[in-house]
Amino acid sequence: QLQLQESGPGLVKPSETLSLSCTVSGGSISSSTYYWGWVRLPPGKGLEWIATIHYSGTTFSNPSLKSRVTISVDTSNNQFSLKVSSVTAADTAVYYCASFYYSTAGRLDYWGQGTLVTVSS
Amino acid sequence: QSVLTQPPSLSGAPGQRVTITCTGSTSNIGGGYDVHWYQKVPGTAPKLLIHDHENRPSGVPDRFSGSKSGTSASLAITGLQAEDEADYYCQSYDKNVKVVFGGGTKVTVL
């Protein structure tokens, strides 16, 4: 049973870079079974996919965010990370990390508990 | 505007049946991509409810069922219970956008 846990600052200033990490336990991030990704839930809105990565380095990003998003994987620490640059209030959301079963088209069967990131000066 | 369209809200009395639709296009659901459904209760992480159109993970009650036809998919909740009050999201893959979610449907138990 995989467990995922997000970590990172809960408050980011406008125009700065949001940085989050997700630690995976109960399995290897280098498993071919999973891709790893980020989803966010802005207040009062619906779920929005941000980006996905495979341990091999293959990445996919939401076209609406692509120019501002960087996703990376650290196999030695069983972690993957997200950076969103030039943040605005619109980036305020609960950010979830999740496992994507077999591909970026797969189901998200394990989720972190989520971490609220507020963009404010 | 979500690529997958869901009704914003639905309601039903305990014991009734509620059906949530998820309408897409030939770029996603109609293109043969799998549809998955999630239940989102405030303050908790989304929970996988149905995967690959119609399959329930272990532990999900059989009152939840999924189906797909053409460019749409549906989630049915039969024998509605108070604990089913939540937001429900469909998810699929889109040739252009990659991972897409529906806008979510708030189910209220009257």
Side-chain angles (χ1 to χ4, degrees):
Chain A
Q1 178 106 348
L2 290 176
Q3 292 186 318
L4 289 79
Q5 178 67 57
E6 305 89 351
S7 59
L11 181 64
V12 182
K13 290 182 167 56
S15 80
E16 295 191 344
T17 296
L18 176 163
S19 296
L20 295 172
S21 292
C22 181
T23 300
V24 178
S25 57
S28 173
I29 204 167
S30 300
S31 167
S32 59
T33 305
Y34 288 104
Y35 282 61
W36 310 95
W38 294 90
V39 174
R40 68 183 183 181
L41 182 65
K45 297 188 177 182
L47 295 171
E48 179 182 34
W49 169 68
I50 303 172
T52 310
I53 190 167
H54 189 253
Y55 80 93
S56 62
T58 301
T59 63
F60 303 90
S61 298
N62 188 322
S64 68
L65 299 168
K66 192 170 187 175
S67 62
R68 298 194 295 127
V69 166
T70 303
I71 188 170
S72 59
V73 65
D74 177 357
T75 54
S76 61
N77 288 306
N78 232 35
Q79 289 183 335
F80 61 102
S81 299
L82 174 74
K83 292 186 188 298
V84 181
S85 63
S86 305
V87 298
T88 69
D91 295 306
T92 294
V94 177
Y95 285 74
Y96 296 97
C97 59
S99 60
F100 288 64
Y101 186 70
Y102 262 119
S103 77
T104 200
R107 63 188 187 256
L108 286 68
D109 47 6
Y110 295 99
W111 297 69
Q113 65 185 24
T115 186
L116 174 62
V117 178
T118 301
V119 178
S120 175
S121 55
Chain B
Q1 186 97 8
S2 302
V3 172
L4 304 179
T5 301
Q6 297 180 233
S9 62
L10 289 171
S11 62
Q16 286 190 329
R17 174 188 172 103
V18 167
T19 301
I20 303 169
T21 56
C22 175
T23 304
S25 69
T26 55
S27 294
N28 40 70
I29 297 174
Y33 296 105
D34 291 330
V35 179
H36 318 295
W37 290 90
Y38 302 88
Q39 181 189 58
K40 175 72 177 74
V41 175
T44 67
K47 172 188 172 183
L48 179 66
L49 211 56
I50 296 286
H51 65 88
D52 305 342
H53 317 316
E54 59 185 6
N55 298 301
R56 278 188 310 276
S58 174
V60 173
D62 61 6
R63 65 177 183 275
F64 293 94
S65 62
S67 63
K68 174 193 159 181
S69 178
T71 58
S72 295
S74 296
L75 171 72
I77 311 173
T78 55
L80 196 62
Q81 299 185 8
E83 67 206 52
D84 299 332
E85 188 160 289
D87 295 326
Y88 293 84
Y89 293 88
C90 59
Q91 175 232 329
S92 187
Y93 183 85
D94 183 273
K95 294 176 187 175
N96 303 311
V97 185
K98 307 299 182 211
V99 182
V100 288
F101 287 96
T105 299
K106 182 177 181 60
V107 170
T108 301
V109 181
L110 301 172

